[in-house]
C-alpha cells in the first residue's frame, strides 16, 4: 500500500492574480512535497467567472472550456465526491461565499484569501461557522455556554475553514492571535495598520508633494484599487478589524466598527475617478494642515485600526517616535498585540500585507495545514448519494419500540424505498404457533412470549431470537439482488441476537440509531410499571425485580444500539423540526459518518456566536 496521500484542489478565481500565482507555486513545489511530505497534490477543478474545467486526473488553465457558474462548479465538485478535497476561493465574490456552508457540509474544506465571508453579517457568518462545526466560544475552548453547546459539534468536525490571508495577507496574524488565545492569554489591545495602500500613502506623505499627488502616485504604482476611494473609505480595513474582533470573541457587525472615512465628503459622490482627484486636490490644504501639525510635534500620520475593551475604531492618528508604528515604511502592514503576557512590550508582526507571491503562499500554507491535520478518506458506507441514485441504498433503523422506526420506514416508501418490517416477518413465521393458541397479531406474540418469571418464557424467548436471526439472514441473502432502495425496520430486540448478525447488518446497510431521549426513557419506565408488556430480556432480568431490571435493560439497549450504529440521530432533531421524508434523508446524508471522513483538528477558527443567531 502506498503511504502517499492525495490532496485534491478545486480552485475558483484561477485566472486572477492570487489564483494564477497559487497554481504556479503548486506546480513548482508539488514534486518536492510529494517526495518530502508524501502528499500528492492534484488540481482537479478550476474556474474563473466565465469558464471551468474538471478532471480527477488533473486539470490546467488550458482546459478551461466549459461554461462556468458557481452552482455548476459546486454541483460537479460534490458529484465527483473525491476524498480529501479542498475548495480554494481566490475570488472576491459574494456569490461564491454563499456556497461555503453547502461546501463545508459536504465535507470539503475551504481555504480562502476572500475576507467577505468572515466579515459578512453575523447571521451569515454563524451559518458558516455551524456548517464547519467549528464554533468555539468567546473565550478559549471549554469556557462559556456557547463553547459547551458546540463542543460536541466541534468533535464531529469533518471540514476545515482556513483564511489566514484575510488579515495581513501572508503574515501570520490570525494564527498568532489564535495561538495566544488557545494558550490562555488575554488580549487587552490590538493596534494595526492593515492597508498596504494607506500605509504607503502616509509613509510617503512627507510634505514634499500634496496629498492628492501622493494618492495619484500610489495609483500609478498599482497600490490602490482602480478607484482609490475603495481604499480611502476604510471599509477594507474595517473588514479586517472586524475579523480580528470576531476571532477574539467579540460579536460585532461591520457597522459597529467606528471608521474614519478619509474620502473628503465633497469627493464621495464624484462620478468618476478623474472627478474624484479634482475634488481631492481641493482638500490638499486640509491634509497638509494635519500633517504639518503632527510634524511640528515630531509626529507622523498613521491610519490605525484599534480593538480594545469592546471598542473597535479606525482613525488617522498622529504618532510619536516611541510608537512601534513610527518606523513603518513602504506599504508594510503591522499588527501589535498587547496581552496579559505581552504587557510591557507588545508582540509585533510586521511585513508586506499584500502582494501576489506572499498571499498565494499564505493560501498554499493553509492548504498544507488542512492536509496535515486530516487523513486519508475513509468511506463509512460508500457514497450515499450515488447509492441512492443507483437504487442501491440500504438503511437500517434501530432503536427502542415506538421510537419511530416504522413511522420513518413508511415515510421513506413515499420516496420509493422498499420497507422491510422485521416484526411482520417474525409474526408471520410465528403464525402457526399463534394460530394453535387461537390468536394472531403482533400483540399475541407478546402474550405468547409472556413475562420473564413465567415458565415458558426462556424457551419462547430463545425461539423468538432464533426466528429473528433466521429472518435477518434471509433479508441479507435477498437484499443485494434488489433494485430498489431499502429501509430495514428492525425489532427493538435486534441488539440481543448474536453479534455477528449486527456485524452483517452493518456490512449490508447504513445502520441508524434513532436515539431515545432521557425524558422519554422516564416516560417508558412509568408506562412499563403501570402495564408491564412482554419483552425480550436476554440476560437483563435480574433478582425477580421487573422495575429495576427494566431500567437496566433500557440503559443496556441504549449502549448497544449506539455501539452498533453507523450514526445516531437524536430524537429531538427529528421531532422538534417536524421533518418530512426528504429532510429525514438529508439529515442522514449530511451526517459526517456517511461521508468520506476527513478528521479535522478540533479548533480551526474561533467564532463568536450570539445565542440569538443560534436559535434563529
Ligand atoms: N491581491 C492581493 O495582494 C490580495 C491580498 C490578500 C487578499 N486578497 C484577496 O484575494 C482574492 C483574489 O484577489 P486577486 O487580487 O487575485 O483578484 P483578481 O485578480 O481580480 O482575480 C479574481 C478572480 O476571481 C474570478 N471571479 C470573480 N468572480 C467570480 C465568480 N463569481 N465565479 C468564478 N470566478 C470568479 C475572476 O475571474 P474573471 O477573470 O473571469 O473575472 C478572477 O479569476 C480577493 O478576495 C482579495 O481580496 C488579495
Amino acid at each position: 500500500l502506498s503511504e502517499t496521500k492525495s490532496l485534491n484542489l478545486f480552485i475558483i478565481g484561477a485566472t486572477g492574480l492570487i489564483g494564477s500565482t497559487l497554481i504556479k507555486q503548486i506546480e513548482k513545489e508539488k514534486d518536492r512535497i510529494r517526495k518530502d511530505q508524501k502528499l500528492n497534490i492534484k488540481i482537479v477543478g478550476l474556474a474563473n467567472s466565465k469558464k471551468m474545467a474538471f478532471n480527477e486526473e488533473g486539470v490546467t488553465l488550458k482546459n478551461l472550456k466549459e461554461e462556468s457558474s458557481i452552482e455548476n462548479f459546486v454541483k460537479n465538485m460534490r458529484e465527483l465526491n473525491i476524498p480529501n478535497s479542498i475548495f480554494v476561493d481566490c475570488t472576491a465574490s459574494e456569490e461564491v461565499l454563499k456556497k461555503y456552508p453547502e461546501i463545508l457540509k459536504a465535507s470539503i474544506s475551504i481555504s480562502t484569501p476572500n475576507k467577505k465571508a468572515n466579515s459578512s453579517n453575523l447571521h451569515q457568518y454563524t451559518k458558516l461557522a455551524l456548517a464547519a462545526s467549528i464554533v468555539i466560544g468567546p473565550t478559549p475552548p471549554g469556557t462559556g455556554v456557547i463553547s459547551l453547546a458546540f463542543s460536541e459539534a466541534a468533535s464531529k468536525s469533518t471540514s476545515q475553514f482556513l483564511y489566514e490571508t484575510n488579515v495581513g495577507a501572508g503574515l501570520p496574524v490570525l494564527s498568532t492571535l489564535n495561538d495566544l488565545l488557545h494558550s490562555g492569554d488575554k488580549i487587552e489591545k490590538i493596534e494595526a495598520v492593515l492597508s498596504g495602500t494607506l500605509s504607503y500613502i502616509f509613509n510617503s506623505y512627507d510634505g514634499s508633494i500634496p496629498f492628492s499627488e501622493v494618492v495619484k502616485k500610489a495609483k500609478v504604482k498599482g497600490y490602490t484599487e482602480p478607484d482609490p476611494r475603495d481604499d480611502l473609505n476604510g471599509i477594507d480595513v474595517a473588514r479586517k478589524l472586524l475579523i480580528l474582533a470576531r476571532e477574539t470573541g467579540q460579536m460585532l457587525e461591520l457597522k459597529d466598527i467606528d471608521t474614519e472615512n478619509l474620502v473628503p465628503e465633497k469627493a464621495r459622490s464624484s462620478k468618476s475617478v478623474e472627478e474624484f482627484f479634482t475634488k481631492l486636490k481641493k482638500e490638499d490644504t486640509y491634509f497638509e494642515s494635519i500633517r504639518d501639525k503632527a510634524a511640528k510635534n515630531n509626529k507622523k500620520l498613521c491610519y490605525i485600526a484599534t480593538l480594545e475593551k469592546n471598542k473597535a475604531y479606525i482613525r488617522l492618528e498622529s504618532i510619536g517616535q516611541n510608537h512601534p508604528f513610527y518606523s513603518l515604511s513602504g506599504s508594510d502592514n503591522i499588527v501589535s498585540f498587547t496581552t496579559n503576557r505581552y504587557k510591557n512590550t507588545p508582540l509585533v508582526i510586521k511585513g508586506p500585507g499584500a502582494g501576489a507571491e506572499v498571499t498565494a503562499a499564505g493560501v498554499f500554507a493553509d492548504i498544507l495545514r488542512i492536509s496535515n491535520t486530516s487523513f486519508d478518506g475513509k468511506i463509512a458506507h460508500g457514497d450515499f448519494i450515488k447509492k441512492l441514485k443507483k437504487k442501491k441504498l440500504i438503511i437500517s433503523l434501530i432503536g427502542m419500540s415506538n421510537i419511530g422506526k416504522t413511522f420513518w420506514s413508511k415515510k421513506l416508501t413515499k420516496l420509493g424505498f422498499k420497507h422491510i418490517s422485521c416484526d411482520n416477518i417474525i409474526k408471520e413465521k410465528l403464525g402457526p404457533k399463534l394460530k394453535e393458541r387461537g390468536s394472531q397479531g403482533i400483540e399475541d406474540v407478546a402474550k405468547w412470549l409472556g413475562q420473564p418469571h413465567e415458565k415458558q418464557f426462556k424457551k419462547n424467548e430463545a425461539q423468538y431470537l432464533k426466528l429473528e436471526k433466521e429472518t435477518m439472514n434471509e433479508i441479507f441473502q435477498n437484499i443485494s439482488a434488489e433494485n430498489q432502495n431499502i429501509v430495514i425496520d428492525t425489532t427493538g430486540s435486534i441488539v440481543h441476537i448474536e453479534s455477528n448478525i449486527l456485524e452483517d447488518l452493518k456490512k449490508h446497510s447504513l445502520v441508524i440509531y434513532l436515539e431515545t431521549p432521557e425524558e422519554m426513557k422516564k416516560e417508558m419506565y412509568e408506562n412499563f410499571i403501570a402495564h408491564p408488556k412482554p419483552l425480550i430480556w436476554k440476560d437483563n432480568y435480574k433478582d425477580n425485580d421487573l422495575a429495576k431490571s427494566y431500567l437496566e435493560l433500557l440503559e443496556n439497549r441504549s449502549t448497544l444500539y449506539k455501539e452498533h450504529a453507523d450514526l445516531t440521530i437524536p430524537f429531538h432533531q427529528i421531532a422538534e423540526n417536524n421533518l418530512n421524508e426528504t429532510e429525514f434523508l438529508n439529515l442522514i446524508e449530511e451526517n459526517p459518518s456517511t461521508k468520506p471522513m476527513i478528521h479535522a483538528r478540533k479548533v480551526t477558527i474561533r467564532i463568536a456566536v450570539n445565542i440569538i443567531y443560534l436559535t434563529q
Side-chain angles (χ1 to χ4, degrees):
L1 266 176
S2 153
E3 281 177 22
T4 305
K5 280 197 287 181
S6 282
L7 181 63
N8 303 290
L9 303 180
F10 293 87
I11 305 175
I12 190 159
T15 50
L17 189 60
I18 305 301
S20 59
T21 310
L22 175 67
I23 293 169
K24 278 187 210 136
Q25 290 181 354
I26 292 169
E27 288 307 322
K28 188 162 165 257
E29 300 299 328
K30 71 178 190 191
D31 288 344
R32 183 187 58 78
I33 292 173
R34 189 187 296 122
K35 202 160 139 265
D36 294 353
Q37 300 184 25
K38 300 217 176 312
L39 187 68
N40 185 18
I41 306 181
K42 273 196 285 180
I43 299 175
V44 291
L46 286 174
N48 59 17
S49 66
K50 295 158 215 97
K51 300 283 176 205
M52 63 181 186
F54 294 91
N55 191 332
E56 280 189 57
E57 300 311 314
V59 281
T60 68
L61 291 175
K62 287 189 195 126
N63 303 117
L64 286 175
K65 292 204 171 91
E66 209 180 313
E67 199 175 314
S68 153
S69 76
I70 182 63
E71 267 71 32
N72 287 339
F73 191 85
V74 174
K75 188 165 164 264
N76 282 5
M77 181 170 71
R78 291 193 63 175
E79 279 174 4
L80 277 172
N81 190 40
I82 318 173
N84 293 348
S85 291
I86 302 179
F87 175 79
V88 188
D89 173 15
C90 293
T91 74
S93 160
E94 305 256 359
E95 199 193 352
V96 173
L97 64 93
K98 286 199 184 115
K99 289 284 174 187
Y100 287 5
E102 179 187 338
I103 294 167
L104 290 165
K105 278 188 193 163
S107 289
I108 297 168
S109 293
I110 300 177
S111 161
T112 184
N114 183 355
K115 64 186 97 59
K116 300 244 173 84
N118 284 319
S119 54
S120 59
N121 65 58
L122 266 178
H123 184 55
Q124 196 173 337
Y125 177 70
T126 310
K127 255 169 85 177
L128 171 67
L130 289 174
S133 298
I134 42 180
V135 181
I136 305 298
T139 42
T143 53
V145 180
I146 296 161
S147 154
L148 288 177
F150 280 88
S151 57
E152 199 187 340
S155 71
K156 286 183 188 157
S157 170
T158 59
S159 40
Q160 297 186 60
F161 176 48
L162 293 196
Y163 47 85
E164 176 65 70
T165 48
N166 278 192
V167 180
L171 299 175
V173 176
L174 294 176
S175 51
T176 303
L177 175 57
N178 275 301
D179 286 347
L180 290 172
L181 291 165
H182 290 148
S183 63
D185 208 347
K186 293 260 180 314
I187 306 294
E188 291 187 355
K189 188 174 184 182
I190 301 176
E191 278 185 295
V193 171
L194 296 171
S195 156
T197 314
L198 296 176
S199 179
Y200 173 83
I201 288 174
F202 290 105
N203 290 334
S204 20
Y205 184 35
D206 56 7
S208 56
I209 55 170
F211 184 72
S212 60
E213 289 301 317
V214 178
V215 177
K216 222 175 239 172
K217 206 168 128 197
K219 180 168 161 50
V220 172
K221 281 188 170 241
Y223 285 136
T224 69
E225 292 293 327
D227 185 336
R229 281 175 289 185
D230 291 337
D231 296 296
L232 291 167
N233 64 17
I235 291 174
D236 189 61
V237 175
R239 282 188 185 276
K240 291 174 185 167
L241 187 61
L242 178 65
I243 294 170
L244 284 170
R246 286 178 176 178
E247 293 289 306
T248 66
Q250 295 194 29
M251 292 165 276
L252 303 183
E253 294 278 14
L254 198 54
K255 65 175 170 39
D256 300 324
I257 311 283
D258 184 359
T259 308
E260 180 172 349
N261 183 344
L262 298 179
V263 183
E265 271 203 60
K266 286 178 191 153
R268 286 181 198 168
S269 57
S270 303
K271 302 258 169 359
S272 66
V273 175
E274 289 68 35
E275 187 188 333
F276 157 70
F277 272 115
T278 311
K279 291 197 170 151
L280 185 66
K281 202 171 168 43
K282 292 186 183 148
E283 304 293 329
D284 278 342
T285 45
Y286 162 73
F287 282 101
E288 187 47 31
S289 69
I290 50 170
R291 194 209 64 80
D292 197 41
K293 190 173 162 208
K296 279 191 181 131
N297 293 313
N298 285 329
K299 290 183 171 180
K300 61 182 260 189
L301 297 178
C302 193
Y303 193 65
I304 300 177
T306 306
L307 180 74
E308 61 176 338
K309 294 193 187 83
N310 296 333
K311 272 193 294 179
Y313 52 92
I314 303 167
R315 301 261 183 280
L316 185 61
E317 294 185 30
S318 303
I319 54 167
Q321 280 171 2
N322 51 0
H323 195 286
F325 295 1
Y326 190 85
S327 59
L328 200 65
S329 62
S331 61
D332 280 357
N333 279 198
I334 189 163
V335 183
S336 133
F337 296 104
T338 307
T339 73
N340 243 2
R341 292 185 195 133
Y342 294 92
K343 220 180 198 92
N344 300 327
T345 313
L347 188 160
V348 175
I349 297 167
K350 186 168 97 168
E357 284 297 331
V358 289
T359 308
V363 178
F364 199 178
D366 272 352
I367 290 170
L368 294 174
R369 223 168 271 143
I370 293 173
S371 83
N372 285 338
T373 50
S374 57
F375 69 96
D376 269 348
K378 163 181 169 281
I379 301 180
H381 271 270
D383 173 6
F384 187 92
I385 296 288
K386 269 188 197 156
K387 285 192 170 186
L388 183 71
K389 282 190 180 159
K390 285 187 182 159
K391 301 202 167 127
K392 286 286 173 198
L393 183 67
I394 305 170
I395 291 172
S396 297
L397 300 181
I398 64 170
M400 301 286 184
S401 311
N402 294 328
I403 194 70
K405 294 178 299 215
T406 304
F407 175 81
W408 285 108
S409 299
K410 285 190 174 153
K411 280 213 165 217
L412 288 176
T413 60
K414 290 194 206 161
L415 298 176
F417 275 73
K418 176 175 176 172
H419 173 192
I420 298 181
S421 161
C422 298
D423 268 337
N424 285 350
I425 300 175
I426 298 169
K427 189 181 77 181
E428 256 172 48
K429 283 182 189 285
L430 273 172
K433 282 202 177 353
L434 296 173
K435 274 221 171 94
E436 273 169 30
R437 295 166 51 105
S439 56
Q440 38 189 280
I442 198 75
E443 311 76 36
D444 293 330
V445 176
K447 275 189 213 150
W448 163 80
L449 193 59
Q451 295 296 352
H453 52 267
E454 288 172 0
K455 209 167 97 216
Q456 85 286 2
F457 181 79
K458 272 282 162 206
K459 188 171 136 245
N460 288 357
E461 184 188 56
Q463 197 168 350
Y464 182 93
L465 286 170
K466 189 166 164 257
L467 279 180
E468 186 164 6
K469 182 179 163 189
E470 200 179 291
T471 303
M472 294 315 295
N473 278 327
E474 282 167 12
I475 293 173
F476 297 149
Q477 269 168 24
N478 298 327
I479 42 175
S480 49
E482 296 272 1
N483 272 323
Q484 199 174 354
N485 294 321
I486 292 172
V487 52
I488 305 175
D489 174 9
T490 67
T491 67
S493 57
I494 189 160
V495 281
H496 299 313
I497 336 176
E498 293 148 35
S499 62
N500 63 334
I501 290 289
L502 290 157
E503 279 158 27
D504 282 348
L505 187 70
K506 223 170 181 176
K507 226 182 275 166
H508 286 284
S509 68
L510 184 69
V511 183
I512 294 150
Y513 168 36
L514 303 183
E515 194 178 30
T516 319
E518 287 310 312
E519 63 277 15
M520 196 184 268
K521 278 189 200 160
K522 208 170 146 232
E523 207 178 296
M524 284 164 80
Y525 174 74
E526 279 159 12
N527 286 342
F528 182 79
I529 299 303
H531 310 282
K533 62 170 192 176
L535 284 169
I536 296 295
W537 288 88
K538 205 60 193 288
D539 302 320
N540 292 287
Y541 180 66
K542 286 173 196 149
D543 307 329
N544 273 338
D545 187 339
L546 212 54
K548 188 172 145 235
S549 300
Y550 184 74
L551 274 183
E552 272 176 33
L553 179 80
L554 284 182
E555 283 319 307
N556 286 348
R557 278 198 183 179
S558 296
T559 312
L560 287 168
Y561 291 136
K562 214 167 209 164
E563 214 172 88
H564 289 101
D566 287 308
L567 67 104
T568 296
I569 300 189
F571 181 78
H572 69 85
Q573 224 173 328
I574 316 174
E576 284 165 19
N577 296 325
N578 196 16
L579 303 184
N580 63 28
E581 51 281 0
T582 310
E583 288 162 340
F584 179 73
L585 264 195
N586 282 345
L587 191 71
I588 299 171
E589 194 260 322
E590 281 171 7
N591 191 295
S593 319
T594 57
K595 299 263 168 60
M597 301 278 267
I598 300 170
H599 287 247
R601 65 182 168 157
K602 258 191 175 184
V603 180
T604 313
I605 57 171
R606 297 177 46 77
I607 289 185
V609 178
N610 191 326
I611 202 79
I612 295 163
Y613 288 93
L614 297 179
T615 49
Q616 269 179 6

